[in-house]
Amino acid sequence: MKKAKRSVWILAIGIVLVASVVALFCTANIRGYSRAQRLYDNGKYSEAYKIYSELGDYRDSAELAGNAKIRATYSEAEELFKNEDYEKAIEMYGQIPEYEDAAEKKEQSEHLLKVKNDTTVPKISGIKPNEKLSITCGTEFNLKEYLDDNIKITDDVSGEIKEYDIRVIKDAVDVVTEKSLYNPASGEITTIVDGMLEFEISAKDSAGNEAVVKMGIELLPVHLSIENPKPVIYDGKYGLIQIQNFQHGYIYGLDQYLITFYVENKTSDPMVVHLAADTSINDYQVNIWRYLPDVISAGKKGIVEDYIADDDIPDYLKDYPQIETTICLRKDEMDEHSYYRVPLLIDIDAANMN
């Protein structure tokens, strides 16, 4: 009887022990599962993955372990991407191609890796190195617009590049306004002084490799010649100025050169067009005659004349082939302000003889 009681007692203790172990195991699973969830919710996916994996088939631990591993891989890839370790980031993103934007980020990492290793400068085409572009003074010209229309910048990694810089190497200054001829904000070149302007056109790719091309803009005076007897002096916002006739002979009671301008005044003020006082032959300044100021009223068209008398030209200069001058567009005879000035080179043999 005593043996039977003892067996029952031992069995009861065993059941209690087993129940305690089971209870302890279940409690540990519950605690582990809850801890894994907290870690997952706080973005600690690697730690959550480890615990979910240890829980085996407890509840949905296997599924959550898979999700945690994917997120852990993505987070690690993002950190590698942030630190510009693109090679490892490519590997990590490649493990989860279907997750969110992993495929797109892998492609981006591949591109940035190429950029990081890129040492080739971009190619600027459309203008030749040290190309010289000739522009006749009085012509409206915008360098930015010209480059936008003519150049193309490409790179073997970055593809087509739209952005470029214009650096001024050599500029010229308007002696009246003391302003540069080139306006970097608008790209406009004010073509009122003959001479050479020089620029550098530069472009950088995504890796910072820079291509540079130099170019020159030669501003040429308007040239009145036998081949070009009626050149346009100016055609822009202020109006139209064109030489209508160039004569030499006995005119208005004097032996002289007569220059006749056709003028269209597009301003809201009177306009005077005349040869500048610094008109010269071989650096010798000659006098300019205007018997009456030829004023063209606002919005009107008309004729303006200027004269150079033979008596004002020294005998030793009479055989020189050209007259150098500047055509001035002014508000009126008394106003010192000039709208515009255009250099003009006149071939003496182009004169119609009277």
Side-chain angles (χ1 to χ4, degrees), residues 53-115:
S53 298
E54 292 172 351
L55 290 174
D57 58 357
Y58 177 72
R59 297 177 64 177
D60 56 352
S61 294
E63 179 183 350
L64 294 176
N67 292 340
K69 184 177 182 181
I70 291 173
R71 293 208 170 206
T73 302
Y74 185 82
S75 295
E76 184 178 353
E78 289 284 89
E79 190 65 23
L80 290 167
F81 183 90
K82 180 180 177 181
N83 294 328
E84 299 184 6
D85 191 347
Y86 302 119
E87 194 168 355
K88 292 182 179 178
I90 291 168
E91 180 183 351
M92 300 303 292
Y93 284 127
Q95 295 177 18
I96 49 171
E98 303 300 326
Y99 182 71
E100 293 188 354
D101 61 348
E104 180 183 339
K105 281 293 189 67
K106 178 176 179 287
E107 184 176 338
Q108 188 177 355
S109 298
E110 290 169 342
H111 172 72
L112 291 174
L113 181 61
K114 290 180 181 179
V115 170

Short mmCIF file of all heavy atoms in Angstrom, two decimals, residues 53-115:
data_model
loop_
_atom_site.label_atom_id
_atom_site.label_comp_id
_atom_site.label_asym_id
_atom_site.label_seq_id
_atom_site.Cartn_x
_atom_site.Cartn_y
_atom_site.Cartn_z
N SER A 53 13.87 33.64 -35.71
CA SER A 53 14.45 32.38 -36.20
C SER A 53 14.56 31.35 -35.09
O SER A 53 14.33 30.15 -35.29
CB SER A 53 15.82 32.64 -36.82
OG SER A 53 15.71 33.50 -37.93
N GLU A 54 14.91 31.81 -33.89
CA GLU A 54 15.05 30.91 -32.74
C GLU A 54 13.70 30.38 -32.26
O GLU A 54 13.62 29.31 -31.65
CB GLU A 54 15.77 31.63 -31.61
CG GLU A 54 17.23 31.94 -31.91
CD GLU A 54 17.88 32.83 -30.85
OE1 GLU A 54 17.12 33.33 -29.98
OE2 GLU A 54 19.11 33.03 -30.91
N LEU A 55 12.63 31.12 -32.54
CA LEU A 55 11.29 30.68 -32.12
C LEU A 55 10.74 29.58 -33.01
O LEU A 55 9.71 28.97 -32.69
CB LEU A 55 10.34 31.88 -32.12
CG LEU A 55 10.58 32.94 -31.03
CD1 LEU A 55 9.66 34.14 -31.24
CD2 LEU A 55 10.38 32.35 -29.64
N GLY A 56 11.40 29.31 -34.13
CA GLY A 56 11.00 28.20 -35.00
C GLY A 56 9.62 28.37 -35.56
O GLY A 56 9.29 29.39 -36.17
N ASP A 57 8.74 27.36 -35.25
CA ASP A 57 7.37 27.40 -35.79
C ASP A 57 6.37 27.97 -34.80
O ASP A 57 5.16 27.73 -34.92
CB ASP A 57 6.95 25.99 -36.24
CG ASP A 57 7.01 24.98 -35.10
OD1 ASP A 57 7.44 25.36 -33.99
OD2 ASP A 57 6.62 23.82 -35.33
N TYR A 58 6.86 28.68 -33.80
CA TYR A 58 5.95 29.28 -32.83
C TYR A 58 5.13 30.37 -33.52
O TYR A 58 5.66 31.31 -34.10
CB TYR A 58 6.73 29.87 -31.66
CG TYR A 58 5.86 30.59 -30.64
CD1 TYR A 58 5.02 29.86 -29.79
CD2 TYR A 58 5.84 31.98 -30.57
CE1 TYR A 58 4.21 30.52 -28.88
CE2 TYR A 58 5.04 32.64 -29.65
CZ TYR A 58 4.22 31.91 -28.81
OH TYR A 58 3.42 32.55 -27.91
N ARG A 59 3.81 30.18 -33.49
CA ARG A 59 2.87 31.09 -34.12
C ARG A 59 3.31 31.40 -35.57
O ARG A 59 3.57 30.48 -36.33
CB ARG A 59 2.71 32.35 -33.27
CG ARG A 59 2.10 32.05 -31.89
CD ARG A 59 2.00 33.26 -31.00
NE ARG A 59 1.09 34.29 -31.56
CZ ARG A 59 0.80 35.41 -30.94
NH1 ARG A 59 1.33 35.65 -29.74
NH2 ARG A 59 -0.03 36.27 -31.49
N ASP A 60 3.46 32.70 -35.94
CA ASP A 60 3.89 33.07 -37.31
C ASP A 60 5.34 33.56 -37.33
O ASP A 60 5.72 34.38 -38.15
CB ASP A 60 2.97 34.16 -37.87
CG ASP A 60 2.90 35.39 -36.98
OD1 ASP A 60 3.43 35.34 -35.85
OD2 ASP A 60 2.30 36.40 -37.41
N SER A 61 6.14 33.00 -36.40
CA SER A 61 7.53 33.46 -36.29
C SER A 61 8.32 33.25 -37.57
O SER A 61 9.16 34.08 -37.95
CB SER A 61 8.23 32.72 -35.14
OG SER A 61 7.66 33.08 -33.91
N ALA A 62 8.08 32.15 -38.28
CA ALA A 62 8.83 31.86 -39.51
C ALA A 62 8.56 32.94 -40.57
O ALA A 62 9.50 33.41 -41.24
CB ALA A 62 8.45 30.48 -40.03
N GLU A 63 7.29 33.31 -40.69
CA GLU A 63 6.94 34.35 -41.67
C GLU A 63 7.54 35.70 -41.28
O GLU A 63 8.11 36.42 -42.13
CB GLU A 63 5.42 34.47 -41.77
CG GLU A 63 4.96 35.54 -42.76
CD GLU A 63 3.45 35.69 -42.79
OE1 GLU A 63 2.76 34.83 -42.19
OE2 GLU A 63 2.96 36.67 -43.40
N LEU A 64 7.45 36.02 -39.99
CA LEU A 64 8.00 37.29 -39.52
C LEU A 64 9.52 37.32 -39.62
O LEU A 64 10.12 38.38 -39.87
CB LEU A 64 7.56 37.55 -38.08
CG LEU A 64 6.05 37.79 -37.89
CD1 LEU A 64 5.71 37.95 -36.42
CD2 LEU A 64 5.61 39.03 -38.67
N ALA A 65 10.14 36.17 -39.44
CA ALA A 65 11.60 36.09 -39.59
C ALA A 65 11.99 36.44 -41.03
O ALA A 65 12.98 37.16 -41.26
CB ALA A 65 12.09 34.70 -39.22
N GLY A 66 11.22 35.94 -42.02
CA GLY A 66 11.49 36.25 -43.42
C GLY A 66 11.35 37.74 -43.71
O GLY A 66 12.19 38.35 -44.39
N ASN A 67 10.29 38.35 -43.15
CA ASN A 67 10.07 39.79 -43.34
C ASN A 67 11.20 40.60 -42.71
O ASN A 67 11.68 41.58 -43.29
CB ASN A 67 8.74 40.21 -42.73
CG ASN A 67 7.55 39.63 -43.48
OD1 ASN A 67 7.69 39.23 -44.65
ND2 ASN A 67 6.40 39.57 -42.84
N ALA A 68 11.59 40.17 -41.49
CA ALA A 68 12.65 40.89 -40.79
C ALA A 68 13.98 40.80 -41.55
O ALA A 68 14.74 41.78 -41.62
CB ALA A 68 12.82 40.34 -39.38
N LYS A 69 14.25 39.64 -42.14
CA LYS A 69 15.50 39.48 -42.89
C LYS A 69 15.51 40.39 -44.12
O LYS A 69 16.54 41.03 -44.42
CB LYS A 69 15.66 38.03 -43.32
CG LYS A 69 16.98 37.77 -44.03
CD LYS A 69 17.14 36.31 -44.39
CE LYS A 69 18.50 36.09 -45.07
NZ LYS A 69 18.68 34.67 -45.44
N ILE A 70 14.37 40.47 -44.80
CA ILE A 70 14.29 41.34 -45.99
C ILE A 70 14.53 42.80 -45.60
O ILE A 70 15.31 43.52 -46.22
CB ILE A 70 12.93 41.18 -46.69
CG1 ILE A 70 12.83 39.80 -47.34
CG2 ILE A 70 12.73 42.27 -47.75
CD1 ILE A 70 11.46 39.50 -47.90
N ARG A 71 13.86 43.21 -44.51
CA ARG A 71 14.00 44.59 -44.07
C ARG A 71 15.40 44.87 -43.55
O ARG A 71 15.95 45.96 -43.75
CB ARG A 71 12.97 44.91 -43.00
CG ARG A 71 11.55 44.91 -43.51
CD ARG A 71 10.67 45.83 -42.71
NE ARG A 71 9.38 46.01 -43.33
CZ ARG A 71 8.62 47.08 -43.17
NH1 ARG A 71 9.06 48.07 -42.41
NH2 ARG A 71 7.45 47.18 -43.74
N ALA A 72 15.99 43.90 -42.88
CA ALA A 72 17.37 44.06 -42.40
C ALA A 72 18.32 44.23 -43.57
O ALA A 72 19.23 45.07 -43.54
CB ALA A 72 17.76 42.86 -41.55
N THR A 73 18.11 43.43 -44.62
CA THR A 73 18.96 43.52 -45.82
C THR A 73 18.79 44.89 -46.48
O THR A 73 19.78 45.52 -46.89
CB THR A 73 18.59 42.41 -46.82
OG1 THR A 73 18.75 41.14 -46.18
CG2 THR A 73 19.48 42.47 -48.05
N TYR A 74 17.55 45.37 -46.59
CA TYR A 74 17.29 46.67 -47.21
C TYR A 74 17.91 47.80 -46.38
O TYR A 74 18.54 48.72 -46.95
CB TYR A 74 15.78 46.89 -47.33
CG TYR A 74 15.41 48.16 -48.06
CD1 TYR A 74 15.38 48.20 -49.45
CD2 TYR A 74 15.08 49.32 -47.37
CE1 TYR A 74 15.04 49.37 -50.13
CE2 TYR A 74 14.74 50.49 -48.03
CZ TYR A 74 14.73 50.50 -49.42
OH TYR A 74 14.39 51.66 -50.08
N SER A 75 17.77 47.72 -45.04
CA SER A 75 18.35 48.76 -44.18
C SER A 75 19.86 48.80 -44.30
O SER A 75 20.47 49.88 -44.36
CB SER A 75 17.96 48.51 -42.72
OG SER A 75 16.58 48.65 -42.54
N GLU A 76 20.48 47.63 -44.37
CA GLU A 76 21.93 47.58 -44.53
C GLU A 76 22.34 48.16 -45.89
O GLU A 76 23.34 48.89 -45.99
CB GLU A 76 22.42 46.13 -44.40
CG GLU A 76 23.94 46.01 -44.45
CD GLU A 76 24.43 44.59 -44.27
OE1 GLU A 76 23.60 43.71 -43.97
OE2 GLU A 76 25.64 44.37 -44.43
N ALA A 77 21.57 47.83 -46.92
CA ALA A 77 21.86 48.37 -48.26
C ALA A 77 21.73 49.89 -48.27
O ALA A 77 22.55 50.59 -48.87
CB ALA A 77 20.91 47.75 -49.28
N GLU A 78 20.71 50.40 -47.57
CA GLU A 78 20.51 51.85 -47.51
C GLU A 78 21.67 52.55 -46.81
O GLU A 78 22.12 53.62 -47.23
CB GLU A 78 19.20 52.17 -46.78
CG GLU A 78 17.95 51.82 -47.54
CD GLU A 78 17.64 52.82 -48.65
OE1 GLU A 78 18.15 52.62 -49.77
OE2 GLU A 78 16.93 53.79 -48.39
N GLU A 79 22.17 51.94 -45.75
CA GLU A 79 23.31 52.50 -45.03
C GLU A 79 24.56 52.49 -45.90
O GLU A 79 25.34 53.46 -45.92
CB GLU A 79 23.55 51.71 -43.74
CG GLU A 79 24.55 52.35 -42.79
CD GLU A 79 24.07 53.68 -42.22
OE1 GLU A 79 22.85 53.92 -42.19
OE2 GLU A 79 24.94 54.48 -41.80
N LEU A 80 24.76 51.41 -46.63
CA LEU A 80 25.89 51.33 -47.55
C LEU A 80 25.77 52.38 -48.65
O LEU A 80 26.76 53.02 -49.03
CB LEU A 80 25.96 49.92 -48.17
CG LEU A 80 26.36 48.78 -47.21
CD1 LEU A 80 26.06 47.44 -47.85
CD2 LEU A 80 27.82 48.89 -46.82
N PHE A 81 24.55 52.56 -49.15
CA PHE A 81 24.29 53.56 -50.19
C PHE A 81 24.61 54.97 -49.65
O PHE A 81 25.26 55.77 -50.34
CB PHE A 81 22.84 53.48 -50.64
CG PHE A 81 22.47 54.42 -51.75
CD1 PHE A 81 22.58 54.02 -53.08
CD2 PHE A 81 22.01 55.70 -51.49
CE1 PHE A 81 22.25 54.88 -54.11
CE2 PHE A 81 21.68 56.57 -52.51
CZ PHE A 81 21.79 56.16 -53.82
N LYS A 82 24.17 55.23 -48.43
CA LYS A 82 24.40 56.53 -47.80
C LYS A 82 25.89 56.80 -47.64
O LYS A 82 26.35 57.93 -47.80
CB LYS A 82 23.70 56.57 -46.44
CG LYS A 82 23.87 57.88 -45.69
CD LYS A 82 23.15 57.81 -44.36
CE LYS A 82 23.36 59.08 -43.55
NZ LYS A 82 22.68 59.01 -42.22
N ASN A 83 26.65 55.77 -47.34
CA ASN A 83 28.10 55.90 -47.14
C ASN A 83 28.89 55.76 -48.44
O ASN A 83 30.12 55.65 -48.42
CB ASN A 83 28.59 54.86 -46.12
CG ASN A 83 28.04 55.12 -44.74
OD1 ASN A 83 27.81 56.27 -44.35
ND2 ASN A 83 27.81 54.06 -43.98
N GLU A 84 28.15 55.72 -49.58
CA GLU A 84 28.75 55.66 -50.92
C GLU A 84 29.56 54.39 -51.14
O GLU A 84 30.48 54.36 -51.98
CB GLU A 84 29.62 56.90 -51.19
CG GLU A 84 28.83 58.20 -51.14
CD GLU A 84 29.66 59.41 -51.50
OE1 GLU A 84 30.84 59.23 -51.89
OE2 GLU A 84 29.16 60.54 -51.38
N ASP A 85 29.22 53.32 -50.40
CA ASP A 85 29.83 52.01 -50.66
C ASP A 85 28.93 51.28 -51.65
O ASP A 85 28.21 50.33 -51.33
CB ASP A 85 29.97 51.22 -49.36
CG ASP A 85 30.83 49.97 -49.53
OD1 ASP A 85 31.11 49.59 -50.69
OD2 ASP A 85 31.22 49.38 -48.50
N TYR A 86 28.95 51.78 -52.90
CA TYR A 86 27.99 51.33 -53.89
C TYR A 86 28.18 49.88 -54.30
O TYR A 86 27.21 49.19 -54.61
CB TYR A 86 28.06 52.24 -55.12
CG TYR A 86 27.80 53.69 -54.80
CD1 TYR A 86 28.77 54.67 -55.04
CD2 TYR A 86 26.60 54.09 -54.24
CE1 TYR A 86 28.53 56.00 -54.73
CE2 TYR A 86 26.35 55.42 -53.93
CZ TYR A 86 27.33 56.37 -54.18
OH TYR A 86 27.10 57.68 -53.87
N GLU A 87 29.39 49.42 -54.29
CA GLU A 87 29.66 48.03 -54.69
C GLU A 87 28.95 47.05 -53.78
O GLU A 87 28.29 46.11 -54.25
CB GLU A 87 31.17 47.78 -54.69
CG GLU A 87 31.56 46.51 -55.42
CD GLU A 87 33.05 46.42 -55.67
OE1 GLU A 87 33.78 47.38 -55.36
OE2 GLU A 87 33.47 45.37 -56.20
N LYS A 88 29.05 47.24 -52.44
CA LYS A 88 28.36 46.36 -51.49
C LYS A 88 26.86 46.60 -51.51
O LYS A 88 26.07 45.67 -51.32
CB LYS A 88 28.93 46.56 -50.09
CG LYS A 88 30.36 46.06 -49.94
CD LYS A 88 30.85 46.23 -48.50
CE LYS A 88 32.28 45.71 -48.35
NZ LYS A 88 32.79 45.91 -46.97
N ALA A 89 26.47 47.86 -51.72
CA ALA A 89 25.04 48.19 -51.78
C ALA A 89 24.38 47.45 -52.95
O ALA A 89 23.26 46.95 -52.82
CB ALA A 89 24.84 49.70 -51.93
N ILE A 90 25.07 47.37 -54.07
CA ILE A 90 24.55 46.65 -55.23
C ILE A 90 24.28 45.19 -54.88
O ILE A 90 23.24 44.62 -55.23
CB ILE A 90 25.54 46.75 -56.41
CG1 ILE A 90 25.60 48.18 -56.93
CG2 ILE A 90 25.15 45.79 -57.54
CD1 ILE A 90 26.75 48.45 -57.88
N GLU A 91 25.23 44.60 -54.14
CA GLU A 91 25.08 43.20 -53.74
C GLU A 91 23.88 43.02 -52.83
O GLU A 91 23.09 42.07 -53.00
CB GLU A 91 26.36 42.75 -53.02
CG GLU A 91 26.32 41.30 -52.55
CD GLU A 91 27.56 40.91 -51.78
OE1 GLU A 91 28.54 41.70 -51.76
OE2 GLU A 91 27.55 39.83 -51.17
N MET A 92 23.71 43.91 -51.85
CA MET A 92 22.61 43.79 -50.89
C MET A 92 21.26 44.03 -51.57
O MET A 92 20.30 43.28 -51.34
CB MET A 92 22.81 44.78 -49.74
CG MET A 92 24.10 44.57 -48.95
SD MET A 92 24.24 42.90 -48.24
CE MET A 92 22.94 42.95 -47.04
N TYR A 93 21.15 45.08 -52.38
CA TYR A 93 19.89 45.34 -53.09
C TYR A 93 19.55 44.17 -54.01
O TYR A 93 18.37 43.84 -54.20
CB TYR A 93 19.99 46.63 -53.93
CG TYR A 93 19.92 47.90 -53.13
CD1 TYR A 93 20.91 48.88 -53.28
CD2 TYR A 93 18.86 48.16 -52.27
CE1 TYR A 93 20.86 50.08 -52.57
CE2 TYR A 93 18.81 49.36 -51.55
CZ TYR A 93 19.80 50.30 -51.71
OH TYR A 93 19.74 51.48 -51.01
N GLY A 94 20.58 43.53 -54.56
CA GLY A 94 20.36 42.42 -55.48
C GLY A 94 19.75 41.20 -54.80
O GLY A 94 19.16 40.34 -55.47
N GLN A 95 19.87 41.11 -53.48
CA GLN A 95 19.30 39.98 -52.74
C GLN A 95 17.80 40.11 -52.55
O GLN A 95 17.12 39.12 -52.23
CB GLN A 95 20.00 39.86 -51.38
CG GLN A 95 21.47 39.50 -51.46
CD GLN A 95 22.13 39.47 -50.09
OE1 GLN A 95 21.46 39.39 -49.06
NE2 GLN A 95 23.46 39.52 -50.08
N ILE A 96 17.28 41.31 -52.70
CA ILE A 96 15.84 41.55 -52.47
C ILE A 96 15.25 42.35 -53.64
O ILE A 96 14.69 43.43 -53.44
CB ILE A 96 15.62 42.29 -51.14
CG1 ILE A 96 16.57 43.52 -51.06
CG2 ILE A 96 15.85 41.38 -49.94
CD1 ILE A 96 16.29 44.44 -49.89
N PRO A 97 15.33 41.85 -54.84
CA PRO A 97 14.94 42.62 -56.02
C PRO A 97 13.47 43.01 -56.06
O PRO A 97 13.10 44.00 -56.72
CB PRO A 97 15.30 41.70 -57.19
CG PRO A 97 15.28 40.32 -56.61
CD PRO A 97 15.77 40.47 -55.21
N GLU A 98 12.60 42.26 -55.37
CA GLU A 98 11.17 42.53 -55.42
C GLU A 98 10.71 43.47 -54.31
O GLU A 98 9.54 43.89 -54.29
CB GLU A 98 10.38 41.21 -55.32
CG GLU A 98 10.72 40.18 -56.39
CD GLU A 98 10.45 40.71 -57.79
OE1 GLU A 98 9.49 41.48 -57.95
OE2 GLU A 98 11.22 40.38 -58.71
N TYR A 99 11.60 43.82 -53.37
CA TYR A 99 11.19 44.62 -52.22
C TYR A 99 11.23 46.11 -52.56
O TYR A 99 12.25 46.66 -52.95
CB TYR A 99 12.10 44.33 -51.03
CG TYR A 99 11.70 45.10 -49.78
CD1 TYR A 99 10.55 44.76 -49.08
CD2 TYR A 99 12.47 46.16 -49.33
CE1 TYR A 99 10.18 45.48 -47.95
CE2 TYR A 99 12.11 46.88 -48.21
CZ TYR A 99 10.97 46.53 -47.52
OH TYR A 99 10.60 47.24 -46.40
N GLU A 100 10.09 46.77 -52.38
CA GLU A 100 9.95 48.21 -52.57
C GLU A 100 10.74 48.70 -53.80
O GLU A 100 10.51 48.25 -54.90
CB GLU A 100 10.34 48.94 -51.28
CG GLU A 100 9.36 48.68 -50.14
CD GLU A 100 9.62 49.55 -48.93
OE1 GLU A 100 10.64 50.28 -48.92
OE2 GLU A 100 8.82 49.50 -47.98
N ASP A 101 11.69 49.65 -53.57
CA ASP A 101 12.45 50.22 -54.69
C ASP A 101 13.86 49.65 -54.78
O ASP A 101 14.77 50.32 -55.30
CB ASP A 101 12.51 51.74 -54.57
CG ASP A 101 13.20 52.20 -53.28
OD1 ASP A 101 13.41 51.34 -52.40
OD2 ASP A 101 13.52 53.39 -53.16
N ALA A 102 14.05 48.42 -54.27
CA ALA A 102 15.39 47.83 -54.25
C ALA A 102 15.99 47.72 -55.65
O ALA A 102 17.18 47.99 -55.84
CB ALA A 102 15.35 46.47 -53.56
N ALA A 103 15.18 47.32 -56.63
CA ALA A 103 15.69 47.18 -57.99
C ALA A 103 16.13 48.53 -58.56
O ALA A 103 17.18 48.65 -59.20
CB ALA A 103 14.62 46.56 -58.89
N GLU A 104 15.33 49.56 -58.27
CA GLU A 104 15.67 50.91 -58.73
C GLU A 104 16.93 51.42 -58.04
O GLU A 104 17.80 52.01 -58.67
CB GLU A 104 14.50 51.85 -58.45
CG GLU A 104 14.73 53.29 -58.89
CD GLU A 104 13.58 54.20 -58.53
OE1 GLU A 104 12.46 53.68 -58.30
OE2 GLU A 104 13.79 55.42 -58.45
N LYS A 105 17.04 51.14 -56.71
CA LYS A 105 18.21 51.57 -55.97
C LYS A 105 19.46 50.82 -56.42
O LYS A 105 20.56 51.38 -56.43
CB LYS A 105 17.98 51.36 -54.47
CG LYS A 105 17.12 52.43 -53.80
CD LYS A 105 17.85 53.75 -53.80
CE LYS A 105 17.15 54.81 -52.98
NZ LYS A 105 17.15 54.52 -51.55
N LYS A 106 19.30 49.58 -56.79
CA LYS A 106 20.45 48.81 -57.32
C LYS A 106 20.95 49.45 -58.61
O LYS A 106 22.17 49.62 -58.80
CB LYS A 106 20.03 47.36 -57.57
CG LYS A 106 21.14 46.47 -58.16
CD LYS A 106 20.65 45.03 -58.29
CE LYS A 106 21.73 44.14 -58.88
NZ LYS A 106 21.91 44.40 -60.32
N GLU A 107 20.02 49.81 -59.49
CA GLU A 107 20.39 50.44 -60.75
C GLU A 107 21.05 51.79 -60.50
O GLU A 107 22.05 52.15 -61.15
CB GLU A 107 19.14 50.62 -61.62
CG GLU A 107 19.41 51.18 -63.00
CD GLU A 107 18.15 51.26 -63.85
OE1 GLU A 107 17.19 50.53 -63.54
OE2 GLU A 107 18.14 52.06 -64.80
N GLN A 108 20.50 52.54 -59.54
CA GLN A 108 21.10 53.84 -59.20
C GLN A 108 22.50 53.66 -58.62
O GLN A 108 23.41 54.44 -58.93
CB GLN A 108 20.20 54.55 -58.18
CG GLN A 108 20.60 55.99 -57.90
CD GLN A 108 19.64 56.68 -56.96
OE1 GLN A 108 18.61 56.13 -56.57
NE2 GLN A 108 19.96 57.90 -56.58
N SER A 109 22.68 52.64 -57.80
CA SER A 109 24.00 52.37 -57.21
C SER A 109 25.00 52.01 -58.30
O SER A 109 26.17 52.41 -58.23
CB SER A 109 23.90 51.24 -56.19
OG SER A 109 23.05 51.59 -55.12
N GLU A 110 24.56 51.24 -59.28
CA GLU A 110 25.44 50.86 -60.38
C GLU A 110 25.89 52.10 -61.16
O GLU A 110 27.07 52.22 -61.55
CB GLU A 110 24.73 49.88 -61.31
CG GLU A 110 24.52 48.50 -60.68
CD GLU A 110 23.59 47.62 -61.49
OE1 GLU A 110 22.84 48.16 -62.34
OE2 GLU A 110 23.60 46.40 -61.27
N HIS A 111 24.94 53.04 -61.37
CA HIS A 111 25.29 54.27 -62.08
C HIS A 111 26.27 55.11 -61.25
O HIS A 111 27.28 55.61 -61.77
CB HIS A 111 24.03 55.08 -62.37
CG HIS A 111 24.32 56.45 -62.91
ND1 HIS A 111 24.80 56.67 -64.18
CD2 HIS A 111 24.22 57.69 -62.32
CE1 HIS A 111 24.97 57.96 -64.37
NE2 HIS A 111 24.64 58.60 -63.26
N LEU A 112 25.98 55.24 -59.95
CA LEU A 112 26.84 56.05 -59.09
C LEU A 112 28.22 55.43 -58.92
O LEU A 112 29.21 56.15 -58.74
CB LEU A 112 26.18 56.26 -57.73
CG LEU A 112 24.93 57.15 -57.75
CD1 LEU A 112 24.26 57.19 -56.40
CD2 LEU A 112 25.30 58.57 -58.20
N LEU A 113 28.30 54.14 -59.00
CA LEU A 113 29.60 53.47 -58.94
C LEU A 113 30.42 53.83 -60.20
O LEU A 113 31.62 54.08 -60.11
CB LEU A 113 29.43 51.96 -58.83
CG LEU A 113 30.73 51.14 -58.75
CD1 LEU A 113 31.54 51.54 -57.52
CD2 LEU A 113 30.42 49.64 -58.73
N LYS A 114 29.73 53.86 -61.34
CA LYS A 114 30.41 54.28 -62.57
C LYS A 114 30.88 55.73 -62.47
O LYS A 114 31.99 56.08 -62.88
CB LYS A 114 29.48 54.11 -63.77
CG LYS A 114 29.19 52.68 -64.16
CD LYS A 114 28.26 52.64 -65.36
CE LYS A 114 27.94 51.21 -65.76
NZ LYS A 114 27.01 51.16 -66.93
N VAL A 115 30.01 56.58 -61.90
CA VAL A 115 30.37 57.99 -61.72
C VAL A 115 31.58 58.12 -60.80
O VAL A 115 32.51 58.89 -61.06
CB VAL A 115 29.17 58.79 -61.15
CG1 VAL A 115 29.60 60.19 -60.73
CG2 VAL A 115 28.05 58.86 -62.17
#
